[in-house]
């Protein structure tokens, strides 16, 4: 007696395929969320804040070596008297003025910093007359980014220190980079003195470099090169 054989429904294989596709999509979504919110970079305020931070303890111990120093240059420089100092929060607040300095520190989570100023030894050398650099560390990367924003960076906020010009050239050194300049007439000689500043962020650290000299001795490219030198030092802190 023959037995009726019922055809196997084909819908089962289709359902299995749908389930596999759903699992793959969920896995992709999960990995993407992990990279954005976990170990990978996160987006805060439109700025890419890289994963990981520069450790505060190691930074503070050696931050006096991270700024530009005379031995970094082939041209001879001397450190300005009193120009090599721990730019603590108290010192910074005094420098910026308590009305701006204290709110700045509280709102950005600044921890500490170091500042060093140098002047050229030989006036005949074709190099900046004056170089100043500062490194600062913050509790986290978002605070460091805030410190360079238009809401808090001193070049935007302090009218008496407003630059003559914010420069349009793309600043590709670090993150949240801003470059600006000032001009003045040198007393006595009447020659034009130019000053270029660059401020940038790397993770939870900011770098500020300023150079000053007669026209032709300083430039935007030069201050960016010096800022890169400081950034390269900061990146060695583990």
């Amino acid at each position: 007696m023959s037995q009726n054989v019922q055809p196997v429904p084909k819908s089962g294989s289709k359902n299995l395929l749908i389930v596999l596709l759903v699992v793959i999509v969920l896995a992709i979504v999960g990995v993407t969320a992990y990279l954005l919110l976990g170990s990978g970079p996160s987006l805060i305020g439109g700025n890419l804040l890289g994963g990981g931070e520069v450790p505060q303890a190691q930074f503070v111990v050696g931050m006096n070596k991270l700024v530009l120093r005379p031995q970094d240059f082939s041209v001879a420089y001397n450190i300005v008297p009193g120009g090599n100092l721990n730019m603590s929060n108290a010192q910074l607040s005094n420098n910026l003025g308590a009305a701006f300095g204290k709110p700045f520190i509280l709102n950005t989570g600044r921890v500490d910093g170091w500042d060093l100023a140098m002047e050229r030894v030989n006036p005949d050398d074709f190099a900046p007359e004056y170089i100043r650099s500062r490194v600062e560390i913050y509790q986290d990367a978002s605070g460091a980014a805030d410190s360079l924003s238009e809401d808090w960076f001193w070049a935007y906020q302090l009218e008496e220190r407003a630059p003559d010009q914010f420069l349009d050239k793309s600043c590709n050194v670090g993150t949240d980079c801003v470059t600006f300049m000032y001009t003045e007439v040198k007393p006595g000689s009447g020659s034009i003195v130019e000053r270029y500043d660059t401020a940038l962020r790397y993770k939870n650290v900011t770098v500020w470099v300023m150079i000053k000299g007669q026209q032709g001795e300083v430039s935007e490219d030069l201050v960016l090169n010096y800022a890169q030198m400081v950034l390269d030092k900061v990146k060695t802190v583990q």
Side-chain angles (χ1 to χ4, degrees), residues 108-196:
T108 62
R110 185 185 187 274
V111 176
D112 210 340
W114 198 274
D115 192 291
L116 191 147
M118 303 177 293
E119 55 188 0
R120 189 180 62 200
V121 173
N122 186 351
D124 293 329
D125 284 335
F126 193 75
E129 297 176 8
Y130 187 84
I131 301 174
R132 185 177 176 185
S133 58
R134 181 187 302 165
V135 291
E136 299 173 285
I137 190 163
Y138 293 77
Q139 293 175 9
D140 53 46
S142 62
D146 287 341
S147 75
L148 297 182
S149 69
E150 292 190 20
D151 291 333
W152 286 110
F153 188 49
W154 55 266
Y156 297 113
Q157 292 294 319
L158 301 180
E159 185 175 347
E160 71 277 9
R161 304 189 190 187
D164 293 335
Q165 182 182 0
F166 283 95
L167 302 173
D168 295 330
K169 183 175 179 179
S170 175
C171 179
N172 57 4
V173 181
T175 313
D176 308 323
C177 182
V178 58
T179 305
F180 48 98
M181 71 168 299
Y182 304 81
T183 57
E184 63 183 65
V185 178
K186 195 169 186 178
S189 66
S191 59
I192 302 297
V193 175
E194 294 181 341
R195 165 181 162 175
Y196 289 86

Side-chain angles (χ1 to χ4, degrees), residues 20 53 79 90 100 110 121 144 174 177 198 214 225-226 231:
L20 288 174
E53 293 180 343
I79 296 175
F100 176 75
R110 185 185 187 274
V121 173
C177 182
T198 289
Q214 296 188 51
N225 287 340
Y226 290 174
L231 180 58

Side-chain angles (χ1 to χ4, degrees), residues 36-115:
L36 289 176
L37 301 178
S39 63
S42 61
L43 288 172
I44 300 178
N47 293 316
L48 187 64
L49 305 183
E53 293 180 343
V54 176
Q56 296 180 23
Q58 288 89 324
F59 181 92
V60 170
V61 168
M63 60 185 175
N64 62 314
K65 299 177 182 177
L66 303 178
V67 291
L68 296 173
R69 308 189 67 86
Q71 57 266 32
D72 294 325
F73 301 92
S74 57
V75 171
Y77 282 94
N78 284 331
I79 296 175
V80 175
N84 184 22
L85 74 161
N86 176 199
M87 188 62 70
S88 65
N89 281 344
Q91 181 68 38
L92 183 75
S93 181
N94 181 66
N95 187 41
L96 294 176
F100 176 75
K102 189 173 182 180
F104 171 86
I105 292 164
L106 293 175
N107 281 276
T108 62
R110 185 185 187 274
V111 176
D112 210 340
W114 198 274
D115 192 291

Side-chain angles (χ1 to χ4, degrees), residues 190-207:
S191 59
I192 302 297
V193 175
E194 294 181 341
R195 165 181 162 175
Y196 289 86
D197 292 51
T198 289
L200 60 95
R201 176 180 67 83
Y202 171 72
K203 298 184 178 181
N204 56 324
V205 171
T206 62
V207 172

